[in-house]
Amino acid sequence: MRDELTHAVEDYLKTIYDLSLTHGRASTTQIAEVLEIAPASVTGMIKRLSTTRPPLVEYIKHRGVILTPEGERVALEIIRHHRLLELFLYETLGYSWDKVDAEADRLEHVISEEFEARIAEALGDPTHDPHGDPIPDKNLLMPSHAKLSLREMRPDQCGTIQRVRDNDPDLLRYLSEQGIVPQAHFIVTGYTPFDNNITILVDGQPKAVVLGPRITRQIFVEQENG
């Protein structure tokens, strides 16, 4: 069915999938904000996607939208393309992790399934992209991934950075400069409850860094016992 879908439709399905992970049913306002499209246009597209054969979304007015199994399959296929491309650009072509998302956005819709399979084989069938996000396998099953945000950590707790949301290149560059990248070990050395700022010290870095909640909610970690 993917061959019959436009790039715009695929972007909608991927966006709804991402929003559903944290919001359940995605609202038209949320979709419009992500795609930078007028809410009225989103509503029109969602209604159209709910009447395809088979339907790609389930839409209930004032209650939002979720993907049908067919819509989710398409979304996961696009996500697999995107994250494999990110890793290929990063590991093979030497792109920095703050630049791969935009390039993958442009390429994800046009590569063939054979090209996808060759990238996966060349990379050793990876399970995560450069930002730590899970890559659906060839059967479109999503690997497990960290769901605990750094925002929830408190002083003397430690852990490992697992993934960082990739929608802000400036933030990615800043975090890289601070050593805050997947697989980096850290310890929380401070927390201020009036502004929810968290101070962490990353292994190998000369000094601790203070991060506000806008940043800590973008970083997901695996906490270590101790």
Side-chain angles (χ1 to χ4, degrees):
M1 183 177 187
R2 262 206 61 217
D3 292 340
E4 304 169 10
L5 303 179
T6 66
H7 296 177
V9 167
E10 292 176 347
D11 284 338
Y12 268 89
L13 297 177
K14 186 174 71 168
T15 298
I16 294 167
Y17 178 88
D18 287 339
L19 289 169
S20 71
L21 296 179
T22 51
H23 301 285
R25 301 184 77 94
S27 71
T28 53
T29 300
Q30 291 167 338
I31 297 168
E33 288 176 352
V34 173
L35 295 177
E36 298 181 341
I37 297 172
S41 297
V42 171
T43 300
M45 175 65 86
I46 293 304
K47 288 180 178 179
R48 182 160 71 87
L49 296 180
S50 68
T51 58
T52 58
R53 291 290 179 266
L56 296 171
V57 304
E58 175 189 300
Y59 173 65
I60 301 177
K61 190 175 181 179
H62 304 308
R63 289 182 56 192
V65 59
I66 58 173
L67 298 177
T68 64
E70 179 62 27
E72 182 172 319
R73 188 193 68 77
V74 175
L76 287 170
E77 183 66 39
I78 293 298
I79 290 169
R80 175 170 167 80
H81 284 191
H82 183 94
R83 294 178 180 173
L84 282 172
L85 284 163
E86 285 190 330
L87 192 60
F88 180 75
L89 291 165
Y90 180 75
E91 289 197 351
T92 305
L93 300 185
Y95 278 66
S96 58
W97 78 331
D98 57 287
K99 293 183 178 179
V100 295
D101 183 57
E103 288 287 1
D105 274 340
R106 287 186 279 267
L107 296 168
E108 65 189 17
H109 304 288
V110 298
I111 66 170
S112 67
E113 300 309 303
E114 179 181 359
F115 190 69
E116 170 209 298
R118 287 178 179 248
I119 290 177
E121 182 180 5
L123 295 172
D125 290 319
T127 58
H128 293 80
D129 72 10
H131 311 103
D133 285 319
I135 300 173
D137 67 16
K138 63 182 179 181
N139 296 314
L140 302 183
L141 298 176
M142 187 71 84
S144 61
H145 55 281
K147 298 179 181 178
L148 175 70
S149 74
L150 181 59
R151 186 179 185 182
E152 301 169 71
M153 301 286 281
R154 292 297 179 264
D156 298 324
Q157 294 181 331
C158 60
T160 304
I161 306 295
Q162 294 295 314
R163 62 188 180 97
V164 180
R165 289 200 172 120
D166 63 0
N167 55 351
D168 186 340
D170 290 335
L171 175 59
L172 290 174
R173 282 190 289 273
Y174 172 74
L175 294 177
S176 182
E177 291 168 358
Q178 307 303 319
I180 303 173
V181 296
Q183 303 310 311
H185 184 270
F186 70 93
I187 183 169
V188 178
T189 60
Y191 169 71
T192 50
F194 69 90
D195 58 11
N196 292 312
N197 284 349
I198 291 176
T199 304
I200 67 170
L201 180 63
V202 178
D203 282 0
Q205 296 299 304
K207 60 181 181 179
V209 60
V210 179
L211 302 172
R214 187 185 75 82
I215 295 178
T216 55
R217 69 166 63 100
Q218 311 289 333
I219 302 170
F220 297 86
V221 304
E222 181 177 330
Q223 183 178 349
E224 298 177 4
N225 296 324

